[in-house]
């Protein structure tokens, strides 16, 4: 415990209880450099993870991998702020990523139901927000619209259902993040593979080749070579150990 003189100089009182309450109210938690770095790394990964869940390549509607988004964040010199949530920082850094990479927020798929007299108003609003209408159905005096919209349009749609339709409209979320169902994996910023200049050119189709495998016995490889010789090209003579086939006696010519 510090001396009373030091407590008076720092806090204006030597009452330990009042000093403890002031420290709890105004003090800051002291952490080591390693612990602070660990917290920053975890927050960085959290931001990248949120981007994986909420963003896609606009050309393919496929998500990016965590590794690619972490690299993209480093390319734009993103530094996480411990005083902000990971979701807030992910939304804030997205415009910076869009300046350099093809990336956008994944759209929401919604099912909207309104009275038929409000259908055209709803379609006009969706068109103004560049939404994608997937289908329209009409039944029992209501119109049902399946659409994909930017997440920021959701609040406007909610207000439309509350005010324009006088709370006779309904919103159902079918998907929070629409991604390509045909995608077998995640997207990459570099999807075109580089040409393999070191690969040797293929052998001509007419050339005879003996395929050997190091895992096969030598006797099998030798038998394959003999079979290859027996089925050689008709343009040349088939040569055996005892000379050309034309030199064999007539009794053996059919063999």
């Amino acid at each position: 415990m510090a001396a009373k003189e030091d407590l008076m100089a720092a806090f204006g009182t030597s009452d330990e209880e009042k000093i403890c309450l002031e420290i709890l109210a105004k003090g800051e938690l002291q952490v080591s450099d390693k612990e602070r770095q660990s917290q920053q790394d975890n927050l960085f990964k959290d931001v990248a993870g949120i981007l994986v869940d909420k963003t896609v390549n606009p050309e393919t509607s496929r998500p990016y991998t965590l590794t690619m988004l972490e690299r993209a964040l480093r390319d734009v010199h993103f530094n996480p702020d411990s005083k902000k949530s990971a979701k807030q920082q992910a939304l804030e850094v997205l415009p910076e990523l869009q300046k350099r990479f093809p990336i956008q927020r994944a759209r929401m798929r919604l099912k909207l139901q309104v009275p038929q007299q409000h259908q055209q108003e709803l379609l006009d609003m969706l068109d103004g927000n560049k939404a994608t209408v997937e289908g329209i159905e009409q039944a029992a005096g209501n119109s049902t619209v399946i659409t994909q919209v930017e997440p920021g349009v959701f609040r406007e749609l909610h207000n439309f259902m509350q005010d324009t339709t006088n709370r006779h409209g309904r919103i159902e979320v079918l998907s929070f993040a629409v991604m390509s169902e045909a995608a077998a994996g995640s997207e990459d910023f570099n999807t075109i593979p580089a040409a393999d200049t070191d690969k040797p050119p293929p052998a001509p189709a007419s050339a005879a080749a003996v395929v050997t495998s190091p895992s096969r016995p030598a006797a099998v490889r030798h038998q394959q070579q003999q079979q290859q010789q027996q089925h050689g090209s008709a343009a040349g003579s088939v040569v055996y150990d005892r000379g050309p086939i034309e030199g064999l006696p007539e009794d053996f010519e059919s063999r």
Side-chain angles (χ1 to χ4, degrees):
M1 192 66 181
K4 290 185 177 182
E5 294 78 6
D6 296 334
L7 294 176
M8 289 294 296
F11 299 99
T13 180
S14 60
D15 190 329
E16 296 180 2
E17 183 176 353
K18 292 182 179 179
I19 292 174
C20 290
L21 292 175
E22 185 175 352
I23 292 174
L24 291 174
K26 301 180 180 179
E28 295 182 358
L29 179 64
Q30 299 295 320
V31 296
S32 64
D33 293 340
K34 290 184 178 180
E35 186 176 358
R36 185 181 296 105
Q37 184 62 44
S38 177
Q39 292 175 353
Q40 290 290 96
D41 293 342
N42 291 336
L43 183 57
F44 185 92
K45 290 183 178 294
D46 289 343
V47 172
I50 291 174
L51 289 172
V52 170
D53 295 335
K54 295 185 177 296
T55 62
V56 293
N57 184 325
E59 299 176 357
T60 63
S61 296
R62 295 173 59 183
Y64 287 108
T65 64
L66 179 64
T67 302
M68 289 304 305
L69 286 173
E70 287 180 351
R71 192 180 76 181
L73 289 173
R74 294 188 181 95
D75 288 344
V76 298
H77 307 291
F78 169 72
N79 291 316
D81 186 350
S82 59
K83 297 181 180 179
K84 295 182 180 180
S85 66
K87 181 178 180 180
Q88 180 182 356
Q89 295 184 75
L91 297 178
E92 289 177 352
V93 76
L94 182 58
E96 296 298 323
L97 294 174
Q98 290 175 326
K99 294 178 182 179
R100 302 185 60 179
F101 308 108
I103 186 173
Q104 71 176 19
R105 288 194 68 180
R107 291 191 164 196
M108 302 176 67
R109 179 178 282 116
L110 304 176
K111 182 179 180 180
L112 309 174
Q113 188 179 71
V114 297
Q116 287 186 5
Q117 62 266 28
H118 297 294
Q119 174 183 317
Q120 190 58 47
E121 295 178 77
L122 176 62
L123 294 178
D124 291 341
M125 190 188 71
L126 293 175
D127 184 63
N129 287 282
K130 299 180 180 180
T132 301
V133 176
E134 298 180 347
I136 302 176
E137 295 181 0
Q138 295 181 348
N142 291 322
S143 295
T144 301
V145 180
I146 307 297
T147 182
Q148 292 184 26
V149 300
E150 297 289 342
V153 182
F154 185 85
R155 184 178 296 276
E156 186 176 349
L157 285 170
H158 175 75
N159 294 334
F160 178 87
M161 297 300 178
Q162 295 291 317
D163 302 333
T164 305
T165 68
N166 196 23
R167 298 189 178 184
H168 288 91
R170 182 169 176 263
I171 301 177
E172 180 181 350
V173 179
L174 302 180
S175 175
F176 284 100
V178 178
M179 297 181 182
S180 175
E181 297 178 357
S186 298
E187 188 62 275
D188 196 331
F189 288 122
N190 302 313
T191 56
I192 302 177
D196 189 359
T197 56
D198 297 332
K199 185 177 181 180
S206 60
V210 178
V211 179
T212 61
S213 173
S215 62
R216 296 185 178 182
V220 176
R221 296 199 301 269
H222 180 66
Q223 183 180 2
Q224 289 179 340
Q225 293 174 355
Q226 287 184 339
Q227 292 176 354
Q228 185 67 27
Q229 291 176 351
Q230 292 175 1
H231 297 83
S233 173
S237 298
V238 180
V239 180
Y240 291 86
D241 294 340
R242 296 185 178 182
I245 193 170
E246 291 84 354
L248 290 176
E250 294 181 358
D251 295 341
F252 300 95
E253 286 181 353
S254 62
R255 296 189 180 181

